[in-house]
Amino acid sequence: MARAPAERGELIPVLGEIFREHGYEGASLSVIGERTGLGKGSLYHFFPGGKAQMAAEVLDEVGAWFEANLYRPLRQEPDPRRAVGLMRQACLDYFRSGRRVCLVGAFALDNVRDRFAAAIRGYFIGWIEALTQALQRGGLEAAVAQNLAEGAVADIQGALVLSRALDDPSLFVRSLGRIEAGLLGAMEAR
Amino acid sequence: MARAPAERGELIPVLGEIFREHGYEGASLSVIGERTGLGKGSLYHFFPGGKAQMAAEVLDEVGAWFEANLYRPLRQEPDPRRAVGLMRQACLDYFRSGRRVCLVGAFALDNVRDRFAAAIRGYFIGWIEALTQALQRGGLEAAVAQNLAEGAVADIQGALVLSRALDDPSLFVRSLGRIEAGLLGAMEAR
DNA sequence: TCTTGACTTTACCGATCGGTACAGTCATCT
DNA sequence: AGATGACTGTACCGATCGGTAAAGTCAAGA
């Protein structure tokens, strides 16, 4: 960043990136101040609740993005095969082909999970439900669709872990292809 | 812990649990001291390299456990179907049916990844290679086996993330069943 | 009995943590 | 021009961070 943002709203994505890179505990106020170009005074003016409020708003924003760009298309796209394709593309974009980590997943593994349990839970529940709906529209039975959806979401999270562990973004891209193929195949088999 | 361990070796698993629960940055020396029952003096007597050495030795121990209880059986068990079953059971045991997080996966998402990159990479490479070998013994072509192995390891990591996010260990148990079935099915289809 | 050395206890170090207080700054409105 | 209020810079708070130093404890060996 290195310069002050025009609006408070522009601050949230920057904070998101900081939490993604450093984790909650690792994102110290000095790091945040440095990256946002804002002193503590300004930060506490915008976020009287301090770091916890910053993280909460970032989680909200992430949740809203996924709702608008992933869950809603999954629920509304009439062609379920196309819906799954949209999900794949949205993931590729959002996670920068595996170079970007899932903030919510990282928080889930961290000991801050308890503090943001509701937001974390809502993020994944929303994803699984939306994907389940799409799969049901593809002719799959509710229980089967739910199981497949859980597996696919878990697989995406795992692919992010693994591609970061091996420092190999292509693994994430490949994984997404395999996951999409698996879902399409299941719907194909009716 | 609450009491001093008889041997230094008994310290490592305790440290592992601490890092699993608090992450690297969250595992402060005061937390470590409290849980191990050891003061800073003792800790630095055993680990002159401080927290970094503790984490490194924990990673080594975890790596050794997986080598002995997962990778080696995967490579050596003559019946590949049984090998996959052993992997499932070992994961259920080690990850306490999803109640326990994968330390290496958590480190991979954390910003300490770079510091322990080699150990993290080795852990996952070893797992993927061993599983790939088992799948090849099951009649699968090298490239196919490698792809399936990557996917299975990622899926396990993702199941850990998801079951912790939803606070639902049963999701991990179910996922492991699905993963095993997928691998067995692929070998079945030759 | 005296010595040795592994281990522990305690006090301390400078740095940094999240957070607070408050005096400025500065564009906008009256 | 004067007042308002959003925003910022800076100094500071007590607590805690990772790490060091050194005196003290104590069982085993000579």
Side-chain angles (χ1 to χ4, degrees), chain A residues 18 32 40 53 79 82 95 98 113 133 147 157 175:
Chain A
I18 298 172
I32 294 174
K40 288 190 188 183
Q53 182 181 352
D79 178 0
R82 225 178 88 78
F95 296 118
R113 178 199 63 165
Q133 282 193 28
N147 251 344
Q157 290 295 315
S175 294

Side-chain angles (χ1 to χ4, degrees), chain B residues 8 11-12 15-20 23-25 27 29 32 47 49-63 103-104 107 112 115-116 119-120:
Chain B
R8 192 197 118 115
L11 218 46
I12 309 291
L15 291 173
E17 223 52 55
I18 298 172
F19 284 124
R20 244 182 289 271
Y24 183 77
E25 317 224 35
L29 285 186
I32 295 173
F47 305 95
K51 213 164 81 159
Q53 182 181 349
M54 300 181 205
E57 294 202 20
V58 165
L59 284 174
D60 281 351
E61 199 248 18
V62 170
L103 175 68
V104 191
F107 271 29
V112 294
R115 214 190 302 206
F116 303 106
I120 294 171

Side-chain angles (χ1 to χ4, degrees), chain B residues 3-180:
Chain B
R3 51 163 297 277
E7 300 179 31
R8 192 197 118 115
E10 298 180 17
L11 218 46
I12 309 291
V14 181
L15 291 173
E17 223 52 55
I18 298 172
F19 284 124
R20 244 182 289 271
E21 291 172 19
H22 295 84
Y24 183 77
E25 317 224 35
S28 70
L29 285 186
S30 73
V31 167
I32 295 173
E34 194 179 302
R35 288 275 296 272
T36 57
L38 260 41
K40 288 188 187 183
S42 306
L43 289 172
Y44 274 84
H45 172 72
F46 290 122
F47 305 95
K51 213 164 81 159
Q53 182 181 349
M54 300 181 205
E57 294 202 20
V58 165
L59 284 174
D60 281 351
E61 199 248 18
V62 170
W65 192 95
F66 273 78
E67 170 60 29
N69 297 85
L70 236 151
Y71 309 163
R72 192 171 304 142
L74 271 178
R75 285 193 301 261
Q76 296 183 346
E77 164 61 43
D79 178 1
R81 299 177 54 89
R82 227 179 85 79
V84 168
L86 290 175
M87 176 175 95
R88 176 172 151 277
Q89 192 56 52
C91 284
L92 279 176
D93 292 346
Y94 187 85
F95 296 118
R96 306 276 152 78
S97 304
R99 272 176 290 270
R100 203 194 205 191
V101 138
C102 177
L103 175 68
V104 191
F107 271 29
L109 288 188
D110 199 280
N111 65 329
V112 294
R113 178 198 64 164
D114 297 342
R115 214 190 302 206
F116 303 106
I120 294 171
R121 182 182 183 78
Y123 171 85
F124 285 113
I125 291 282
W127 195 340
I128 292 170
E129 281 184 358
L131 180 52
T132 299
Q133 283 193 27
L135 295 176
Q136 284 187 265
R137 267 181 285 122
L140 293 172
E141 202 185 336
V144 177
Q146 162 94 18
N147 250 342
L148 276 173
E150 272 178 16
V153 172
D155 215 352
I156 291 171
Q157 291 295 313
L160 287 169
V161 172
L162 203 50
S163 67
R164 186 164 153 87
L166 301 182
D167 202 12
D168 176 14
S170 79
L171 190 147
F172 181 68
V173 179
R174 260 182 290 141
S175 294
L176 269 188
R178 187 169 30 77
I179 294 164
E180 185 189 17

